[in-house]
């Protein structure tokens, strides 16, 4: 009797988490909310601090929950799932090129999962003729490893 086949493990996985400073700002926003209602009383102040901190934290958490994965023959970036067969050769972008491709070189038809606090990126041409998307732009902290996973190589090659 053979054991069940394990689920395909991701060849690459990254979560584009928000910078630590953003979490500090959430705490400061909570304090500001508390100071706003301080003249009303202590209980409303505590409620305001907790409520504003939790709401701003939820916003930062949802923005920083974007994931990029290469798993089961597909690139999964945010809500998009693109088969690797529909992608061309990946192009690693240094911080200067990444800034250019997310601004004046950008094509409005492109799929972009970008985070301005991540300086490097990867650009991959979409080769599927039925898809009007010219390329995929992904902010990533390790573009070489993502490019290697998309090409089917190990990161050390």
């Amino acid at each position: 009797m053979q054991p069940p086949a394990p689920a395909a493990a991701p060849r690459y996985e990254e979560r584009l988490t928000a910078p630590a400073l953003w979490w500090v700002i959430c705490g400061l926003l909570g304090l500001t909310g508390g100071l706003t209602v301080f003249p009303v009383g202590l209980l409303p102040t505590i409620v305001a601090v907790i409520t504003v901190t939790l709401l701003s934290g939820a916003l930062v958490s949802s923005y920083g929950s974007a994931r990029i994965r290469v798993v089961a023959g597909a690139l999964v970036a945010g809500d998009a799932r693109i088969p690797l067969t529909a992608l061309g050769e990946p192009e690693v972008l240094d911080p200067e090129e990444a800034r250019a491709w997310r601004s004046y070189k950008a094509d409005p038809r492109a799929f972009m999962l970008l985070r301005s606090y991540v300086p490097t990126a990867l650009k991959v041409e979409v080769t599927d003729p039925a898809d009007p998307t010219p390329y995929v732009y992904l902010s990533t902290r390790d573009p070489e490893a993502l490019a290697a996973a998309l090409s089917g190589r190990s990161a050390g090659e």
Side-chain angles (χ1 to χ4, degrees), residues 30-31 42 52-53 65 73 81-82 84 87 89 95-96 98 101 105 107-108 110 115-116 140 146 149-150:
L31 290 175
L42 182 61
V52 173
T53 303
S65 67
R81 183 177 185 88
I82 308 162
L84 295 181
L87 296 174
E89 197 62 31
E96 187 176 315
W101 278 102
K105 285 186 175 180
D107 187 327
R115 298 295 185 259
S116 60
T140 174
L146 179 53
L150 290 174

Side-chain angles (χ1 to χ4, degrees), residues 45-140:
T45 300
I46 293 170
V47 170
V49 168
I50 292 170
T51 303
V52 173
T53 303
L54 289 177
L55 287 175
S56 60
L59 183 66
V60 168
S61 177
S62 70
Y63 186 72
S65 67
R67 289 174 54 180
I68 300 172
R69 298 174 23 175
V70 177
V71 61
L75 168 65
V76 181
D79 294 333
R81 183 177 185 88
I82 308 162
L84 295 181
T85 56
L87 296 174
E89 197 62 31
E91 178 184 349
V92 174
L93 304 175
D94 62 21
E96 187 176 315
E97 269 300 295
R99 193 175 313 107
W101 278 102
R102 70 176 174 252
S103 58
Y104 65 91
K105 285 186 175 180
D107 187 327
R109 299 171 301 151
F111 174 79
M112 301 180 89
L113 179 63
L114 64 94
R115 298 295 185 259
S116 60
Y117 52 82
V118 178
T120 54
L122 188 78
K123 180 178 158 274
V124 186
E125 179 186 2
V126 176
T127 58
D128 183 359
D131 191 344
T133 307
Y135 61 88
V136 175
Y137 174 100
L138 304 169
S139 293
T140 174

Side-chain angles (χ1 to χ4, degrees), residues 15-30:
R15 184 175 298 274
L16 300 175
T17 56
L21 179 60
W22 289 24
W23 295 102
V24 172
I25 292 171
C26 289
L28 293 174
L29 284 172

